[in-house]
Amino acid sequence: MLSLNILIVASLGYAMMLFAIAFWAERRARAGRIGWLRSPLVYTLSISVYSTGWTFYGAVGSAARSGFEYVTIYLGPTLVFIGWWWLLRKLLRVGRAQRITSIADLISSRYGKSTSLAVLVTLLAVIGSTPYIALQLQSITLSFSVFETGGNADLTAFWVAAGLAAFTILFGTRNVDANERHHGVVTAIAIEAVVKLVALISVGAFVVWGIGGGPTEIFAKAPPELLRGDTIFTARWVSLTLLSAMAILTLPRMFQVIVVENAEERHLATASWAFPAYLLLMSLFILPIAIVGNALLPAGSNPDLYVLSLPLANGQNNLALFAFLGGFSSATSMVVIAAIALSTMVSNHIIMPLWLRFSPQKTETSGDVRTILLRSRRLSIAGILGLGYLYFRITGGSGALASMGLIAFAGSAQIIPSLIGGLFWRGATRTGALLGLVAGFSLWAYTLFLPSFEGSFILSQSLIETGPFGIESLKPNALFGLTGFDPLVHSLFWSMTFNIGFFVIGSLLSSPGPLERIQSSQFVDVFRLENATGSYLVSRSATSEDLFTLAQRILGTGPAQRLFTEMASHQGKPTGLPDATDKLIQTLERELAGSVGAASAHVMVSQVAGGGTVSVGELMKIADETAQILEYSQQLENQSHRLERTAQELRAANAQLTEMGAQKDAFLSQVSHELRTPMTSIRSFSEILRDSKDLKLPDAKRFLGIIQEESERLTRLLDEILDLSHLESGRGHLPLETLALQDVIEKSLNATSALLEEAGIDVRLELLNAPLVVKSNFDRLAQVFINLISNAVKYGRGDTPTLTISLATKNDMAVVTVVDNGPGIPVNDRKKVFEKFTRLSAANLAGSAGLGLPISREIMRNLKGDLRLLSSREGARFLITLPLARE
Amino acid sequence: MTPPDLAASVNRKRKLRDGAILLPLFGAFLLLSPMITLFVSPASLFGLPSIFLYIFGVWFGLVVVARAMARRLDLG
């Protein structure tokens, strides 16, 4: 048997070691060498503060009494942790963004930084945690008692409480800022986590293979009801799992290690599987230990202490001592963290507001407040441990460990509706949270907490048994006549029903204040908001995906992908999305501004990246609508452009028509004039021939000659008019052939040779040696040349009349110049030469209706060439261009 | 080098996230529904009762899947 002295020395030695480790870690952190002190492993191990003395001793007791039920306490947290992405990550992000210091701070902050809520949650946390701390003291004193050393349990509990208070004050209140982590404490807790795991597994291995004879034999010894279905899957099974899932989030110490002491959000990714694995290992041997303990130890042994009594009964003193230290670790780590968490809450939410209100001199220098804060925290720690000790003394160490732990769980779980609602429901309000919390806690206290004192505290035994004033339906453990359920399930059902009911109805019937609104969006939309406190907050958030989706909606997939890939490579990331840095947001805003305008782009991007209460979903809707409107307006714009173009074309066509109408009028009047002249002479001469009786034959012949000449002129005129209208309408499709220009010119000169000779015109030809081949119509081309030559003959007579025809090529075009040395065409008339029926100046020759040049130009245009009049100082200079034949 | 398909990677991440939300629900279905009663039988394997194997097997499976998912989610 181990003596009390050995136990005390071992405990003190172990405690000294923890002090030393905490001290060393604190020093190291101060020196900036944090390193592995802040690794995912340490984080995970610190979360295992969840397994307390209750787990270490009580779980075996629970397994010995009710079989598999103990597993539920670990399955709940397992489900919460494997679902980290959904809930814990958000909790952590909110905690970091809002610099949350405790669960009370979180609830208060969410509901408009309400002081009343903070005080309420703090008080409830203290009330709920007191039995839990007492539980740890009890587990330590119980473990002492196993060794039958004869020590005084109360005294042991007192010294344990005092020692823990000293440790907590020493390492838990080194600094004021709760966001500055307690490196020393957390490191010590991590070491304790390892000790308790190894101790429990060692005992388990010893029990299973050392004395139990292997798993097969052990389970063969198991009482059959242990493995019966109706004892496993019950309302209690489901309730306990849900309860433990809720408790891991709301227990003040769990919130402290998970959220407040978290150094980096990504540590949670490791803890998400490592912590459930830790719990799995912790619970693996519990049932075998319980079975073996039930089978081997004498009846009446306390099942809560099988972990110690089994090795002791088999003479394994060292293993028992190790197990004792494991249990000591579990209990002390819980108390230390709980004391830190609760003292932060009490000092921040109760003592400080009171002190600020009642301090006489109202000094608000920071140094002063700092001292007050530290002092109030130290006092709170002492007070909380004192309360735990008091509870232990009042309850006299009665009750199984497990049931005491569950009472605390059920109390802290009352925070869940306000917490989950606050994180995911924008409409949750302060009023709802207050009502829900008060209702839930009242019912918890009435149906579970107070009855646990069995009549020694507030509720008398008779009240518990018969209900207040003998009203049966108000009996604490059969409220409203609900019977047939386990007291825990009964209490959980009623407290949660009223809690959630009041919370929801209260939230729906009240409206939040302005600060509440801001905070609600800060909480609910924490992943969508870029916080000003640093890029850390956005770097791993979903924001860059949201931005990408937004960009995709507005810019289109291709451009958005290009933009983001480019930004990612700018940031030095070879693959994946870029981090949502300010630069990315600015760039994106600029890009979007090109599509939706600067103001809308700014609103959209700042909604995704910055403040504002519009959700991304709503934003997407806006973006979709904008894109649709954009598309629609673009269509409208295109259409109006088209309409404008058409209108312009119509206007031009109208102008052209008006002009053409005017031309037609002019043309008709010209034509009628031109036709009238020959007609008049024909009519007058034929009248003379008819009426003159004494007309001589030669005269008659001359007159008839004139009539014939005029008729011919009339015919020619009509032919020309027809030809011109034919050409102008573009219907005169001229057949094309390959020909040499020189041949055409020669033919034209031959045709006009008589005319030229008669006028004595000197023709000069500057033709090229090589034949200039064009694709054209020979006869029509000849017609143009003849026309120009005869024009020169008619008008272009100089002193020694010359006519020069020269050939050249220019840019795939053949160029023919026809120049005479006559008086030329006055500048004013140059435009008119191509107008119909224009006769220039007085010079007029019979036989031409003045349609030669217009016809020639129409011919050239029909042949894809042109006829122009060049300005020149002397003589008329006509230029013919027409395309060269392609090879 | 062709640029990585961002649309596909966003889609993949979304699926991973859906999985991360569904995993605890699936775990709850296995452990908190009448499913569990199917394994409460006197049958045993390697000397371990089937219910023991079921609970710890599911537990272990959840840890393994959560680990695989956490690594991918953390990388993204």
Side-chain angles (χ1 to χ4, degrees):
Chain A
M1 268 297 149
L2 294 161
S3 74
L4 180 63
N5 287 341
I6 293 177
L7 281 186
I8 291 174
V9 167
S11 322
L12 280 181
Y14 182 68
M16 294 282 273
M17 187 193 83
L18 291 179
F19 270 72
I21 287 170
F23 187 67
W24 168 80
E26 202 75 46
R27 282 266 308 260
R28 213 179 134 90
R30 289 259 157 130
R33 288 173 304 169
I34 291 182
W36 60 266
L37 293 180
R38 291 284 114 178
S39 62
L41 180 70
V42 170
Y43 178 64
T44 306
L45 288 174
S46 71
I47 295 173
S48 65
V49 76
Y50 178 73
S51 336
T52 62
W54 166 29
T55 308
F56 203 81
Y57 299 120
V60 175
S62 164
R65 283 183 277 264
S66 1
F68 275 101
E69 189 184 283
Y70 77 98
V71 176
T72 55
I73 303 304
Y74 306 102
L75 289 180
T78 296
L79 293 178
V80 169
F81 266 81
I82 60 172
W84 65 290
W85 187 264
W86 174 71
L87 179 58
L88 282 176
R89 200 173 61 102
K90 191 165 195 178
L91 199 60
L92 245 70
R93 187 68 65 86
V94 168
R96 186 165 291 272
Q98 301 283 325
R99 294 180 63 78
I100 297 295
T101 58
S102 66
I103 180 78
D105 192 23
L106 181 90
I107 298 292
S108 141
S109 177
R110 161 63 180 84
Y111 298 102
K113 314 197 172 179
S114 149
T115 314
S116 46
L117 265 174
V119 172
L120 180 66
V121 176
T122 302
L123 286 176
L124 300 173
V126 171
I127 294 171
S129 297
T130 303
Y132 216 140
I133 290 170
L135 174 60
Q136 308 307 317
L137 297 177
Q138 186 190 339
S139 73
I140 293 174
T141 52
L142 269 176
S143 67
F144 269 99
S145 73
V146 177
F147 295 94
E148 290 170 7
T149 48
N152 185 326
D154 290 350
L155 200 64
T156 313
F158 176 78
W159 283 114
V160 169
L164 287 171
F167 180 87
T168 314
I169 288 169
L170 208 54
F171 293 101
T173 58
R174 292 187 80 90
N175 38 43
V176 180
D177 188 351
N179 273 324
E180 276 178 35
R181 285 145 191 86
H182 306 101
H183 297 280
V185 173
V186 170
T187 310
I189 298 301
I191 301 287
E192 288 195 295
V194 176
V195 169
K196 66 191 179 196
L197 180 65
V198 175
L200 197 59
I201 288 180
S202 307
V203 172
F206 167 73
V207 168
V208 171
W209 287 286
I211 53 176
T216 314
E217 209 168 305
I218 290 171
F219 280 107
K221 273 186 248 172
E225 70 268 16
L226 199 70
L227 302 174
R228 273 213 339 258
D230 55 348
T231 62
I232 293 172
F233 185 70
T234 57
R236 195 172 152 87
W237 173 274
V238 178
S239 304
L240 283 178
T241 310
L242 294 178
L243 187 59
S244 61
M246 295 190 272
I248 189 102
L249 296 165
T250 53
L251 283 172
R253 70 170 193 282
M254 294 320 297
F255 192 88
Q256 178 79 24
V257 287
I258 295 173
V259 179
V260 182
E261 299 284 348
N262 172 263
E264 255 186 77
E265 197 181 293
R266 49 185 319 209
H267 291 173
L268 185 61
T270 306
S272 73
W273 60 267
F275 179 61
Y278 182 95
L279 293 179
L280 173 65
L281 289 175
M282 280 295 272
S283 47
L284 199 54
F285 286 105
I286 284 174
L287 192 63
I289 294 173
I291 294 170
V292 174
N294 274 345
L296 296 186
L297 292 174
S301 307
N302 187 348
D304 282 338
L305 298 170
Y306 282 172
V307 176
L308 292 176
S309 41
L310 273 173
L312 271 182
N314 289 278
Q316 295 289 329
N317 284 351
N318 289 339
L319 185 61
L321 188 61
F322 188 31
F324 168 78
L325 288 182
F328 187 75
S329 296
S330 312
T332 53
S333 56
M334 179 272 158
V335 176
V336 168
I337 297 289
I340 289 176
L342 290 171
S343 72
T344 307
M345 285 157 75
V346 170
S347 76
N348 283 9
H349 302 306
I350 296 179
I351 299 180
M352 276 315 288
L354 286 177
W355 183 82
L356 285 175
R357 180 167 296 179
F358 296 112
S359 88
Q361 66 266 48
K362 293 270 175 201
T363 44
E364 285 181 5
T365 57
S366 61
D368 201 7
V369 176
R370 227 187 96 92
T371 321
I372 298 294
L373 255 181
L374 281 181
R375 248 180 235 158
S376 74
R377 274 198 204 154
R378 285 168 187 160
L379 270 175
S380 311
I381 289 170
I384 286 155
L385 283 167
L387 266 181
Y389 177 68
L390 207 64
Y391 185 95
F392 169 75
R393 287 296 297 272
I394 290 176
T395 56
S398 68
L401 293 178
S403 65
M404 280 169 76
L406 288 175
I407 291 169
F409 270 29
S412 71
Q414 301 303 324
I415 302 172
I416 276 289
S418 308
L419 176 71
I420 302 288
L423 283 179
F424 294 97
W425 183 28
R426 211 170 308 213
T429 68
R430 194 176 73 93
T431 313
L434 267 174
L435 288 175
L437 278 169
V438 169
F441 269 102
S442 308
L443 278 158
W444 164 76
Y446 183 68
T447 57
L448 196 66
F449 182 61
L450 294 178
S452 78
F453 293 94
E454 290 163 352
S456 61
F457 188 59
I458 299 183
L459 296 188
S460 66
Q461 190 65 32
S462 68
L463 190 148
I464 294 170
E465 272 160 19
T466 59
F469 316 112
I471 303 170
E472 280 282 312
S473 63
L474 291 181
K475 257 167 65 176
N477 47 20
L479 199 61
F480 308 126
L482 186 74
T483 51
F485 281 98
D486 179 85
L488 183 78
V489 176
H490 167 265
S491 168
L492 199 62
F493 173 74
W494 282 124
S495 60
M496 276 297 165
T497 303
F498 280 90
N499 189 335
I500 295 170
F502 276 87
F503 172 63
V504 171
I505 292 167
S507 292
L508 291 177
L509 293 184
S510 62
S511 53
L515 189 56
E516 248 186 287
R517 272 178 219 276
I518 293 170
Q519 286 301 93
S520 84
S521 85
Q522 290 277 320
F523 274 60
V524 177
D525 298 325
V526 67
F527 290 117
R528 296 174 189 133
L529 303 171
E530 187 204 20
N531 200 293
T533 53
S535 60
Y536 173 80
L537 286 166
V538 271
S539 57
R540 260 180 301 277
S541 77
T543 313
S544 78
E545 274 110 66
D546 288 339
L547 288 173
F548 178 67
T549 316
L550 179 70
Q552 223 179 353
R553 294 279 172 99
I554 304 219
L555 298 176
T557 307
Q561 181 152 340
R562 269 198 299 282
L563 174 71
F564 275 65
T565 312
E566 194 188 304
M567 287 305 292
S569 69
H570 260 296
Q571 293 178 1
K573 295 175 95 182
T575 56
L577 286 171
D579 291 333
T581 56
D582 289 352
K583 190 165 186 303
L584 173 73
I585 288 160
Q586 277 167 11
T587 313
L588 180 63
E589 194 181 310
R590 270 202 301 278
E591 289 290 323
L592 293 186
S595 296
V596 293
S600 320
H602 180 71
V603 170
M604 283 180 178
V605 173
S606 58
Q607 295 287 18
V608 173
T613 53
V614 180
S615 74
V616 171
E618 286 165 301
L619 212 78
M620 287 307 163
K621 238 164 55 193
I622 297 172
D624 272 348
E625 278 166 18
T626 313
Q628 273 172 16
I629 291 168
L630 217 71
E631 201 182 331
Y632 184 63
S633 70
Q634 203 157 20
Q635 277 175 4
L636 274 180
E637 209 175 319
N638 285 346
Q639 213 154 16
S640 76
H641 272 314
R642 256 204 309 280
L643 282 174
E644 207 174 314
R645 261 203 308 282
T646 316
Q648 220 158 23
E649 278 163 18
L650 279 173
R651 269 197 297 277
N654 190 38
Q656 214 172 356
L657 277 175
T658 320
E659 201 187 334
M660 275 164 73
Q663 274 181 0
K664 219 98 198 164
D665 286 348
F667 179 69
L668 277 176
S669 74
Q670 285 284 359
V671 166
S672 51
H673 176 74
E674 293 293 329
L675 293 179
R676 184 180 287 271
T677 320
M679 287 300 279
T680 312
S681 55
I682 290 169
R683 213 182 71 200
S684 48
F685 281 111
S686 54
E687 268 172 22
I688 292 169
L689 283 174
R690 193 190 63 192
D691 297 342
S692 304
K693 293 196 169 69
D694 50 347
L695 201 63
K696 288 176 184 139
L697 193 62
D699 284 338
K701 270 199 172 172
R702 193 164 57 87
F703 290 163
L704 281 171
I706 292 170
I707 289 173
Q708 194 213 356
E709 223 172 82
E710 289 297 309
S711 308
E712 276 173 6
R713 194 173 140 198
L714 206 55
T715 314
R716 210 166 45 239
L717 183 62
L718 288 171
D719 279 347
E720 283 183 350
I721 290 171
L722 279 174
D723 196 17
L724 184 62
S725 83
H726 193 62
L727 286 168
E728 271 187 342
S729 71
R731 276 171 308 195
H733 189 74
L734 304 175
L736 298 181
E737 60 205 303
T738 310
L739 49 91
L741 266 180
Q742 284 92 337
D743 294 347
V744 186
I745 292 170
E746 200 177 324
K747 164 105 195 280
S748 313
L749 287 171
N750 284 341
T752 51
S753 59
L755 206 63
L756 288 165
E757 254 169 56
E758 187 193 328
I761 290 177
D762 180 16
V763 178
R764 293 179 194 167
L765 294 177
E766 295 170 9
L767 305 178
L768 300 168
N769 291 331
L772 205 53
V773 182
V774 293
K775 201 151 183 127
S776 200
N777 185 294
F778 195 99
D779 291 334
R780 286 294 193 168
L781 212 49
Q783 187 188 346
V784 173
F785 283 121
I786 291 167
N787 200 311
L788 287 178
I789 292 165
S790 51
N791 254 9
V793 169
K794 280 174 208 161
Y795 308 109
R797 291 183 180 171
D799 284 345
T800 43
T802 51
L803 175 69
T804 313
I805 300 175
S806 53
L807 279 181
T809 57
K810 192 182 179 187
N811 301 340
D812 293 346
M813 299 294 272
V815 183
V816 188
T817 330
V818 180
V819 191
D820 62 40
N821 66 341
I825 298 156
V827 182
N828 295 344
D829 291 338
R830 275 189 193 145
K831 271 195 171 172
K832 292 188 192 164
V833 285
F834 295 111
E835 282 175 19
K836 292 152 221 168
F837 305 110
T838 308
R839 284 206 184 77
L840 302 176
S841 322
N844 185 8
L845 281 178
S848 168
L851 286 174
L853 284 173
I855 288 177
S856 297
R857 191 167 71 167
E858 279 311 316
I859 289 171
M860 287 320 296
R861 288 190 175 167
N862 273 295
L863 291 172
K864 304 207 164 46
D866 204 0
L867 171 65
R868 277 180 291 154
L869 175 64
L870 293 183
S871 57
S872 67
R873 242 178 251 163
E874 55 166 339
R877 182 186 284 261
F878 285 96
L879 189 79
I880 292 169
T881 53
L882 74 164
L884 287 169
R886 297 257 165 92
E887 310 293 289
Chain B
M1 194 184 96
T2 53
D5 191 352
L6 290 187
S9 102
V10 165
N11 197 28
R12 192 181 60 83
K13 262 182 213 166
R14 194 147 288 165
K15 283 195 174 160
L16 199 60
R17 244 170 263 162
D18 291 348
I21 292 166
L22 287 174
L23 184 66
L25 297 180
F26 182 63
F29 167 74
L30 290 179
L31 296 169
L32 295 182
S33 76
M35 272 297 284
I36 201 164
T37 57
L38 296 181
F39 294 87
V40 184
S41 72
S44 63
L45 195 66
F46 312 121
L48 298 170
S50 57
I51 179 69
F52 186 87
L53 287 175
Y54 176 75
I55 290 175
F56 283 93
V58 168
W59 199 339
F60 184 70
L62 289 176
V63 168
V64 169
V65 177
R67 182 167 189 262
M69 275 194 182
R71 299 206 146 188
R72 286 186 179 86
L73 284 166
D74 193 32
L75 282 177

